[in-house]
Amino acid sequence: MHSVSHDRRTPRAHTAAPPDVPRRSRGDTTERRTPQQPDPAEEPQADDRQIDHRQIDDTQPDANQPDANQPDASAKGDDAAVSGTQTDDAPPPSMERPRLFTKDFLLAIVINVIFALVFYMLVTGMAVFAVEEFRSGQTAAGFAASAFVIGALVSRFAAGKYVEFLGRRRTMIACLAIYVLAGLAYLWVDSYEVLIALRVVHGVAFGFGQTALNAAVFSLIPASRRGEGAGYYMLAVALPPAIGPMLTLQLTQHLGFWAMFVSTSVVSVIGLIAALLIRMPEAEHVPDRWRDRLRLRPADIIEPRAFALAAIAMLLGFGFASIMTFLNGFARSEGMVTAASLFFVIYAAAVLVTRLFAGRIQDRYGDNVVVYPTIVLYAVALGLLAWSPNQTVIMVAGVLAGLGFGALLPAFQATIASMLPTTRTSIGISTFFILLDTGFGLSPLVLGPLVEFGSYRIMFAACAVLVASTLILYWLLHGRFSVKQGVSRRPRRP
């Protein structure tokens, strides 16, 4: 807690500083002080515990003294903060917590799950569909899977700004309607070129729709519970990576690809109904002139301070896209389809577990304590897939991938959000997804030839080496700093 780290002052320290001493300027680190950098001239009003204590306990002997200079009250509040105990006259924190699980927030979670579920269902089966339907090579089949991501990536460059004046709810409804129609349109695709065009359009709808939803959901979450709300919002998205591929593998194996396409349309209808029922906060400041609305500047697309971590996420996404795109074909060639189906179920279960406690560990002990072990687990998972002598090893890889990659995405987003002011958080998160989608989109194109001229095992081994190399990159760009949530970034002491 920040109040614990910078409020350890004695009553003498309070009386020594006159009340009219101006507050020393700290630039951007005012809200991110470290325990070694207390602010002796800080006004007591900045401490929530002191304010609540003075409002409740009106029996202090210095009650007639001005509020700005009450050493006894502040000392008492500080003692309680340091000891970690709650005074008898302090109100329970739960009484002051605003409501999080509103109808609109729950509907937003449902819509986000629908967006992700359709994506994972199609990306898992599209490469095999292109091979069997149009006799495509592995490179062309990989592009059929990644064309969706390319469309989403291109749309994100403009969606961050344009959804604000188009309307978030209106944009989301239109995109989900395209989702419904696109799922049915796959049934009438008669050429590889038409398939690629449809995949790009579908991806553009995904990019605009998800951007509109993400822009609104953080307005639905109370500011005092934003970290908790974001955790639940991301926790729900852990299910589609398991359910989507599992449904696709079972539907295509027993009924055919038409069942996969019809199912995605049915799921999209559920999301469309939820979008019609939700109430979303819209942008407060929209330019009046169309020239200002349509103008797209670099600052509207990329947040430089988030670029380093987003670049690492791109490489991590590159590795995971190899699993999403090629695990189905690998399992079929090795006669281990059952293990491939269970891989995603086990992966989702591991993600659900790790996201329940990884965020709390990150808040308490810092980013590195979470990031380093999870990258190692993720690299080992890819190495096991490259080896995989039997189905048991594939399922173990699913556990490690969930504990690794499943924990990295929210950890990186939380880090980006903590290092940016609120006015730039949405652009920072958008930067994260732009580069993450870049990794997803490039992976099938680059790895397809490796599978075609080498093997699936060689491809997974190369991805394991790539993910392991991000340990060095992370240390250079972020890990060598002593970083903790809410604390300014400073070089680690030797």
Side-chain angles (χ1 to χ4, degrees), residues 220-231:
L220 294 173
I221 300 173
S224 61
R225 303 183 67 179
R226 187 159 292 163
E228 180 185 3

Side-chain angles (χ1 to χ4, degrees), residues 290-307:
W290 278 96
R291 183 181 66 180
D292 296 330
R293 292 184 178 186
L294 298 176
R295 183 177 58 182
L296 197 63
R297 299 170 297 177
D300 298 323
I301 302 173
I302 298 294
E303 169 53 55
R305 287 167 289 185
F307 189 85

Side-chain angles (χ1 to χ4, degrees), residues 160 163-164 168 210-220 280-281 426:
V163 297
E164 300 301 329
R168 296 170 181 172
Q210 192 182 58
T211 300
L213 181 62
N214 289 339
V217 73
F218 285 99
S219 299
L220 294 173
M280 302 175 61
S426 60

